Amino acid sequence: MPRFLKEFFNRNGTGMGLIMLGLVLFWTIGLIILPQLSMLDFSFRPNLPPPEYGGPKDVYTLENYQYLIFGPEGGSQSYNSVDLRVFYRTIIAAIFVTLFNLILCYPIAYYLGQSKGNHIRIFALMLIIPYWINEILRAFALRIIFGESGVINSVLMGLGIFDAPFDFIRNDIALYAGLGYAYILLMIFPIYNVIESLDRNQIEAARDMGASWTKIHRRVVIPYAKPGISSGCTMVFMLSAGALAAPQILGGPSSLWFTQLIYQQFNDNNDWPQGAAYAIVLLVTCILFVLAIMRLFKVNMGDIGK
């Protein structure tokens, strides 16, 4: 038996260790790996009626992936400009939401991690309480707030900034704000957990040596918080790129999300192989982004999982 398993069973006991190990294996293999492998297999299959499954036409093919790039055969364009544009816009928007959350959440996480007192617990509780409400209800609430007769337009018009209501939904401002708000805790708490363990004496020593606040964060805090930053960026990007409820509720007519295309292929077109191919493309893109984040911050998977 490997050494780490011996230590695991010695620490938790044989019975509890087997239960915990079985649950982890069931979660990892049964609920993650096997469904993804099934999706991968679907993505290489042609879209056939059920009676033809396993027949001579049910062979592996790349046509579902080719459709994403080139579109339908005999189309008027040489490539699938609509779906590729939606895919590109989704990835860029997810990166923008990730950067926005990082800029917004880093000061909050630093304040929470380096401050002491009961008011910090109250502040943290105020951040958590809104998330007791269902995500869909929060999205509808944001749609009301950003609507033409919503709170924001009422305030801006009352102050004389706008003469007429501004369409935050059609301009995708409500969508980006909704995505950023939906995953803000997933950026704050990984960074907070790391910064909380940072010795304040390091910051005080850098300040005594004449370092500015910018240099203190660039040379001391940020390098120490890299695992939390990379973990937060990874989760926010993947969830933003894979969001479905927020784009459907808060998105304007021209803000089609790639996950909505996947949903249409599965449910509206009943084309599971095509939907599976689109889902695999999005999954691989997210994995490549995670690897890029790890390389950028020079962290490994163990650091992200801390």
Side-chain angles (χ1 to χ4, degrees):
M1 181 183 295
R3 181 178 178 182
F4 73 93
L5 283 180
K6 290 182 179 179
E7 295 178 353
F8 174 77
F9 285 120
N10 289 335
R11 185 167 60 250
N12 299 284
T14 303
M16 182 59 67
L18 288 174
I19 293 175
M20 293 173 62
L21 188 61
L23 291 174
V24 170
L25 290 176
F26 171 74
W27 176 272
T28 304
I29 298 176
L31 300 181
I32 298 177
I33 295 178
L34 291 180
Q36 296 300 331
L37 290 177
S38 177
M39 191 78 69
L40 181 64
D41 179 72
F42 259 114
S43 70
F44 289 105
R45 299 285 186 177
N47 186 27
L48 299 173
E52 297 185 17
Y53 287 172
K57 295 182 180 180
D58 190 9
V59 295
Y60 286 112
T61 177
L62 294 175
E63 63 181 14
N64 298 311
Y65 294 93
Q66 293 172 347
Y67 182 90
L68 173 61
I69 300 174
F70 302 109
E73 294 184 4
S76 59
Q77 295 182 335
S78 58
Y79 63 96
N80 192 351
S81 60
V82 176
D83 291 1
L84 288 176
R85 191 180 299 114
V86 172
F87 176 73
Y88 172 78
R89 185 172 61 241
T90 300
I91 298 301
I92 296 300
I95 293 175
F96 171 78
V97 171
T98 303
L99 294 176
F100 171 77
N101 271 25
L102 177 60
I103 295 171
L104 176 66
C105 297
Y106 175 80
I108 299 175
Y110 177 79
Y111 176 74
L112 289 174
Q114 289 294 299
S115 300
K116 304 296 181 182
N118 291 331
H119 69 284
I120 298 301
R121 298 178 181 178
I122 297 174
F123 186 30
L125 187 62
M126 291 174 61
L127 289 173
I128 296 173
I129 285 177
Y131 291 85
W132 293 357
I133 302 173
N134 183 272
E135 178 184 358
I136 296 178
L137 294 179
R138 284 188 275 115
F140 276 112
L142 287 174
R143 186 177 180 90
I144 295 173
I145 292 173
F146 282 99
E148 293 187 359
S149 59
V151 176
I152 296 179
N153 267 315
S154 298
V155 172
L156 294 177
M157 292 175 64
L159 295 174
I161 298 176
F162 290 153
D163 296 329
F166 183 80
D167 197 341
F168 290 100
I169 295 177
R170 184 176 293 273
N171 289 279
D172 294 336
I173 296 177
L175 173 58
Y176 296 148
L179 287 173
Y181 172 67
Y183 309 122
I184 189 173
L185 294 185
L186 297 178
M187 183 69 76
I188 289 178
F189 284 112
I191 302 176
Y192 159 75
N193 287 334
V194 178
I195 293 180
E196 187 184 25
S197 63
L198 175 62
D199 189 355
R200 288 183 59 87
N201 292 328
Q202 298 184 37
I203 299 176
E204 295 298 333
R207 185 187 300 171
D208 293 340
M209 295 178 66
S212 63
W213 270 112
T214 303
K215 185 171 292 186
I216 289 174
H217 284 275
R218 183 165 55 89
R219 296 288 185 86
V220 178
V221 182
I222 292 179
Y224 188 84
K226 284 193 301 183
I229 293 174
S230 57
S231 178
C233 290
T234 296
M235 290 189 290
V236 171
F237 171 81
M238 297 187 72
L239 290 174
S240 297
L244 179 61
Q248 287 186 329
I249 297 172
L250 297 172
S254 61
S255 61
L256 189 64
W257 218 249
F258 196 68
T259 49
Q260 292 174 285
L261 292 182
I262 297 174
Y263 179 86
Q264 290 174 4
Q265 295 293 345
F266 275 110
N267 293 275
D268 298 341
N269 301 336
N270 200 27
D271 191 345
W272 282 51
Q274 190 66 63
Y278 278 28
I280 291 297
V281 169
L282 183 61
L283 174 64
V284 171
T285 303
C286 290
I287 292 175
L288 292 176
F289 179 84
V290 171
L291 295 177
I293 288 292
M294 292 170 57
R295 185 175 182 85
L296 176 64
F297 289 101
K298 296 180 180 179
V299 296
N300 54 41
M301 191 63 68
D303 293 328
I304 293 179
K306 288 181 179 178

